[in-house]
Structure formats: C-alpha cells, structure tokens
Amino acid sequence: MKTKILVLLSLIFLIVSCKKENENKNVLVGKWDWVSSVGGLAGETLTPSSTGIKMIYQFSNTTLIIYVNDSLANQSNYTISVQYKGTPQQISVLSYVPYRPGQSFSVENDSLFINDLFADGYTSTFVKEKN
C-alpha cells in the first residue's frame, strides 16, 4: 500500500512540475528589451544609455536568441527548472549556453528580472516589447 501511495505522489509531483515548466516557458515567449543591470562588487547600475549597448532577448518555446546592438550575439536552446536554494521558497532557473548552471528569473506584468546565482552577480531587468 505504501508503494502505491509513493508512486501516486511521484506521478502527481511529475505532472505538476511539467505544468510549471510549461507555464514559465509560455510567459517568456516574445521579445524583451534590456533596461538595466544592477550589481557586481561595486553595486553599479548599467543601462543602454550608460553603456551604449542595446540588448534584446527573444524567447521561443525552446530557443533563446540574444541580440546586442542589432547583431546576433548568441542563440541557444534553454531549459527551465524549479529549484529550492537554501529556502523553502521555489525559484525558477533559466539555463542556457553560456550561462550554466543558470540564472533565476521572475516575470511581473511586462517586466522580466534575471538574477545571477552568486553573491556579487547582477540583476537584469527587461521590458517585453508590445506587438
């Protein structure tokens, strides 16, 4: 009986995990314009006007394309996983080449926040382009 319960719970967890990944991928699909990056050892703020860099992240259901100053800078398949990093709260992790093991992310309204997963990393903010 215990084995049946464990199998059932495992299946439920697997179904819920797959659904969460698909929901996360759907919310990412589209073009995102870089607004700022804040962090590093000095806590600096980088923006398109301060760096002269225009960056766009374009997500499909499976691929991330990064444009820098309207030129292709990177194209890679990406994955999303849900992790628990020393906290009971789950985080969504975006993994793609060259950023493995990944970066956490969240989406609020039309803003995408991507966070490096180390202490002196950056938090980058993107705004979704309107169609």
Side-chain angles (χ1 to χ4, degrees), residues 9-85:
L9 289 174
S10 297
L11 285 173
I12 291 171
F13 179 75
L14 181 63
I15 291 168
V16 170
S17 296
C18 291
K19 183 178 179 187
K20 182 70 174 174
E21 180 176 331
N22 288 336
E23 289 172 2
N24 281 333
K25 281 194 172 188
N26 288 339
V27 78
L28 289 176
V29 171
K31 284 187 178 182
W32 298 85
D33 295 322
W34 176 58
V35 175
S36 67
S37 294
V38 178
L41 290 175
E44 65 186 336
T45 298
L46 306 172
T47 65
S49 61
S50 71
T51 62
I53 296 172
K54 174 187 173 190
M55 189 166 26
I56 296 173
Y57 278 30
Q58 181 177 347
F59 289 91
S60 71
N61 284 324
T62 58
T63 305
L64 168 60
I65 302 172
I66 300 173
Y67 296 96
V68 175
N69 294 334
D70 298 320
S71 295
L72 178 65
N74 189 40
Q75 182 171 345
S76 176
N77 289 337
Y78 71 93
T79 60
I80 294 173
S81 60
V82 176
Q83 298 181 10
Y84 299 86
K85 291 281 185 185

